[in-house]
Amino acid sequence: MAHTNNIDATPSAEQGGGVLPVTIAVDALGGDFAPSAVLDGVALALQRDSQLRVALCGPAEVIEPFATSSAARGRVDAHITTEEIAMDEHDPARAVRSKKDASIVVAARLVKEGAAQGFISAGSTAACLAAGTLVIGRIRGVARPTLAVVLPGKRPVVLADTGANADCKPELLVQFAEMARAYAQATLSIDNPSIALLNIGSEEGKGSELAKATQVLMKEQIHNFIGNVEGRDILDGKADVIVTDGFTGNVVLKTLEGSMFYLLAKLKTAFMATGLTKLAALVLKGSFKELKSELDPDQYGAAPLLGVKGLCLVAHGSSSPEAIANGILVGAKAVRNELTEKITAAVQAQK
């Protein structure tokens, strides 16, 4: 699992000399291991952030006992729901419109109404995106929200889009770059993030028609644009933010996840093969623990949908309690560092 010191919940914004209180709405039913993994993750997040409050959304029999337990620390409000949007929902957007009392929808509505500053769910990604867009609503001037993921590597890198927009125009990618820049500033504490375009070559003029047209616009409009990077550069620390269309980004994300898990599994098999290799594994245990932590996607826990009027965090369906906790903590940090306000300002500056 990820080391908790990867997540710095200390805000830059302060109130009354202390940490700014933040309320995050949580979908108790989202994910393959819900509700237990979600509740355990909430408990971990509450332990690590003394000024965090949680608006827990789900069936009464699931959330009420937790909200009154010692794990809730008196900082969990129960919001009882009677409907659920399943992972395999045929039409998630329609479900969001019709199931007004589903846990994902109620969590998003709490953000829209100002009762929470953000919401997180490990449920259906499409339903989360629909709730963010349809319930919370887009920031004025945002053509399409973008899904951003922080990837581990030589240093953390923000990749956007990772699945919200399969088909894109150059103007969209330019806007994704500005929103992802704000996210890197708010959560990774990078003052002047470098921006790159994912392409099949580093030279100017490379790539598809979309890539070539986007490169021209980014060179003209994006501050600290460093040009193209290739797939092999993603984890090498060459840029703080890498921009691409949602189809390519989603393929990249899942390829990297699969490769990481495969690599770790093969290393474990190799070191457990003989007595001698087991001895070597014992000697290198600390180094491998460090490597696993560096490659662990649970470090940041969830991907934000950038461009909506509040924080919408999409966690992986197989999220562990650690991933849920880290997603909540990253969300709280983003709220305290005024992510939505920074994106709004960046979009307005583009006009």
Side-chain angles (χ1 to χ4, degrees), residues 13-32:
E14 296 185 341
Q15 186 177 54
V19 176
L20 186 70
V22 171
T23 299
I24 301 293
V26 178
D27 169 20
L29 298 182
D32 300 338

Side-chain angles (χ1 to χ4, degrees), residues 3-335:
H3 295 301
T4 58
N5 60 11
N6 287 315
I7 300 299
D8 178 10
T10 304
S12 61
E14 296 185 341
Q15 186 177 54
V19 176
L20 186 70
V22 171
T23 299
I24 301 293
V26 178
D27 169 20
L29 298 182
D32 300 338
F33 307 114
S36 60
V38 177
L39 300 182
D40 289 347
V42 169
L44 287 173
L46 290 169
Q47 287 176 15
R48 297 169 187 170
D49 186 336
S50 63
Q51 294 303 305
L52 173 70
R53 291 196 65 88
V54 169
L56 192 60
C57 305
E61 64 272 17
V62 170
I63 66 170
E64 285 187 330
F66 180 83
T68 56
S69 70
S70 59
R73 300 171 179 263
R75 291 185 278 135
V76 173
D77 299 314
H79 293 265
I80 298 169
T81 62
T82 58
E83 294 180 291
E84 180 180 1
I85 297 177
M87 296 288 283
D88 59 353
E89 196 81 39
H90 176 65
D91 188 342
R94 183 175 180 181
V96 166
R97 290 189 182 95
S98 62
K99 295 184 177 182
K100 304 293 186 184
D101 205 39
S103 52
I104 291 178
V105 178
V106 171
R109 191 159 61 242
L110 289 172
V111 179
K112 179 179 177 62
E113 294 171 353
Q117 288 79 56
F119 88 92
I120 183 171
S121 175
S124 162
T125 297
C128 290
L129 300 183
T133 304
L134 300 175
V135 179
I136 299 175
R138 289 178 293 174
I139 293 170
R140 183 184 295 274
V142 171
R144 290 189 204 169
T146 182
L147 199 58
V149 170
V150 177
L151 298 173
K154 188 174 289 185
R155 69 177 193 234
V157 57
V158 177
L159 178 67
D161 185 26
T162 57
N165 305 280
D167 298 303
C168 295
K169 293 181 179 179
E171 294 79 10
L172 283 178
L173 296 185
V174 171
Q175 194 169 78
F176 295 169
E178 291 292 1
M179 293 192 288
R181 181 206 304 279
Y183 184 55
Q185 291 171 328
T187 59
L188 301 180
S189 302
I190 303 171
D191 292 333
N192 185 26
S194 55
I195 315 290
L197 177 67
L198 187 61
N199 209 332
I200 59 172
S202 59
E203 305 87 354
E204 287 193 28
K206 281 276 189 177
S208 64
E209 293 303 314
L210 172 63
K212 287 187 281 190
T214 302
Q215 185 186 90
V216 172
L217 282 184
M218 284 193 169
K219 192 173 179 180
E220 293 173 352
Q221 300 179 25
I222 299 297
H223 172 68
N224 206 13
F225 176 60
I226 63 171
N228 295 329
V229 295
E230 300 180 64
R232 64 188 177 192
D233 302 322
I234 292 174
L235 303 183
D236 201 35
K238 291 195 174 180
D240 298 309
V241 173
I242 297 177
V243 180
T244 188
D245 62 274
F247 180 89
T248 304
N250 193 263
V251 171
V252 166
L253 179 64
K254 290 176 179 175
T255 301
L256 286 173
E257 285 179 349
S259 299
M260 289 175 188
F261 289 130
Y262 177 78
L263 172 62
L264 293 172
K266 292 296 285 185
L267 284 172
K268 184 177 180 180
T269 299
F271 277 102
M272 293 297 105
T274 68
L276 190 60
T277 57
K278 286 179 183 178
L279 181 61
L282 187 63
V283 173
L284 295 170
K285 184 178 180 180
S287 297
F288 282 122
K289 191 174 181 181
E290 238 177 83
L291 174 63
K292 185 177 180 182
S293 175
E294 186 178 313
L295 298 178
D296 194 342
D298 283 4
Q299 288 183 46
Y300 297 93
L305 181 66
L306 306 178
V308 293
K309 299 175 185 176
L311 199 62
C312 168
L313 292 160
V314 184
H316 201 287
S318 61
S319 288
S320 64
E322 186 75 20
I324 295 293
N326 284 342
I328 293 170
L329 294 175
V330 167
K333 182 176 181 181
V335 170

